[in-house]
Amino acid sequence: MPRDARRTLQDVADAAGLSLAATSYALRGTRGSAATIERVQALAGELGYRVDPIARALASGRTGTVGISGSLRDLWQQDLSVLLTRALRTADRDASIADADADPDAERRVLERFAAQRVDGVLASPVDPSAEHWRLLDPSTAVVSIGDALTARPGSGSVLFDNRHGIAAVLTHLHERGHRRVALLTPSLPTTPGRPSELLAVELAAPLGLDLVVVPAPADPAGAAAAAAGVLAAPDRPSAVFCLSDSLAFGVYRAAADLRLRVPGDVAVAGFDDHQLAALVAPGLTTVSWDEDAIVAAAVAQLLALQEHGRAPDPVTFRPHLVVRASTG
């Protein structure tokens, strides 16, 4: 066979002296002794054999691809997507990452694309967890939401965030520091029906006597800076800004600097996900911290369980903890 000819599974089976089925199992590491698996995989490497994804999909009915959807202008969701990709690779799955851009319409287009690609599963940080567009995915597709449950798609897996606890911790902290008028920067658009975190913040601010000013903002720091500038330049400027992501908080830092406002002397700032930069900016950002590694492990475990057993495991809920740094005084 010429050196540049494509090697087949049959070539590996002939070299190993095994059946096609035994060779396939050994290549995937699912059956056979450790010595056989090692020998077959070594032979495949020597022969230059590569799995044909189209052939694998036709034979198994699966593509081996999992869609990841999030709002990727947000720095924490960028990091989460990377961690999910690495975890999927360990589970012998490929990732197809798409940006929902904090926009329900963009999220719907992402799901349409995933459906057309026939992905085996979806791991999503939903923009609108109550939207009907989650039904666009075939019922056989394993779907796990991260953050909020998909109320319109029963049977999906859920890795839930105890946002009530996190939001209450930040608002209580600001109240204890003497703040009464607080701006809430949220990546939710006014057209997003659910906006669960924003609605929670409004609910929890009332008993504390906080005057909460809701400010929708783009999810990226530069866009957040522009949105925050209008609030911080107003005559009735709030004494604190609570941002529902650290990316938004970094934008507030920029807006405050442009307006010659000191953080926290003129305005206190708090974030919501303890991105790795939160401890590096000056002053350090007060925020809430989530266990990203455990969140990723739980999400991938739910996905694999759905694919294996066809039913959703019980939801897993993560509770954050408040990390107080210098940005709130």
Side-chain angles (χ1 to χ4, degrees):
M1 179 180 292
R3 290 179 60 86
D4 60 350
R6 186 181 185 91
R7 295 290 188 172
T8 66
L9 182 63
Q10 186 65 63
D11 295 327
V12 181
D14 290 344
L18 298 172
S19 68
L20 282 172
T23 303
S24 177
Y25 289 135
L27 286 172
R28 286 180 285 164
T30 56
R31 292 188 191 177
S33 67
T36 297
I37 290 172
E38 182 179 359
R39 181 171 66 88
V40 170
Q41 292 179 350
L43 281 170
E46 293 171 7
L47 293 172
Y49 171 73
R50 297 290 182 272
V51 175
D52 184 340
I54 297 176
R56 179 176 67 178
L58 290 172
S60 67
R62 292 185 175 182
T63 62
T65 301
V66 175
I68 297 175
S69 175
S71 297
L72 300 182
R73 284 193 287 176
D74 179 86
L75 298 174
W76 191 82
Q77 291 205 29
Q78 288 180 18
D79 287 357
L80 183 68
S81 296
V82 171
L83 292 173
L84 288 169
T85 299
R86 291 174 179 171
L88 288 170
R89 187 185 306 132
T90 301
D92 196 27
R93 305 294 196 278
D94 296 320
S96 176
I97 300 176
D99 182 17
D101 201 24
D103 182 340
D105 288 336
E107 183 172 69
R108 176 182 52 77
R109 291 192 293 271
V110 165
L111 298 181
E112 289 173 345
R113 190 178 316 122
F114 284 162
Q117 292 172 344
R118 298 185 180 181
V119 296
D120 294 336
V122 173
L123 296 169
S125 297
V127 175
D128 184 0
S130 64
E132 289 293 321
H133 57 228
W134 290 102
R135 295 180 181 274
L136 292 169
L137 297 168
D138 190 273
S140 65
T141 303
V143 179
V144 177
S145 63
I146 301 173
D148 296 289
L150 302 178
T151 55
R153 194 180 192 277
S156 301
S158 299
V159 176
L160 305 177
F161 295 169
D162 189 349
N163 288 324
R164 175 177 290 272
H165 177 82
I167 290 170
V170 174
L171 292 177
T172 301
H173 170 70
L174 294 175
H175 182 269
E176 291 173 347
R177 293 295 169 100
H179 299 286
R180 295 298 179 265
R181 182 171 170 79
V182 177
L184 177 75
L185 248 67
T186 169
S188 299
L189 298 175
T191 53
T192 306
R195 308 196 303 280
S197 294
E198 175 191 327
L199 298 177
L200 267 177
V202 173
E203 173 194 335
L204 294 169
L208 294 171
L210 294 177
D211 179 11
L212 198 67
V213 182
V214 178
V215 182
D220 63 295
V231 178
L232 296 181
D236 57 347
R237 181 183 73 231
S239 62
V241 182
F242 175 24
C243 304
L244 290 180
S245 77
D246 287 1
S247 290
L248 298 180
F250 300 145
V252 175
Y253 272 44
R254 171 60 186 271
D258 289 346
L259 293 168
R260 299 180 182 272
L261 298 175
R262 296 168 299 145
V263 177
D266 297 312
V267 60
V269 182
F272 200 62
D273 43 42
D274 202 21
H275 184 267
Q276 57 187 317
L277 294 177
L280 303 178
V281 294
L285 178 65
T286 292
T287 185
V288 296
S289 181
W290 305 87
D291 189 343
E292 291 99 331
D293 291 335
I295 289 168
V296 166
V300 173
Q302 288 225 350
L303 179 84
L304 298 179
L306 273 167
Q307 291 181 336
E308 183 71 22
H309 305 296
R311 62 180 183 275
D314 292 336
V316 181
T317 301
F318 287 88
R319 171 172 284 192
H321 65 273
L322 181 68
V323 179
V324 178
R325 298 191 179 100
S327 68
T328 50

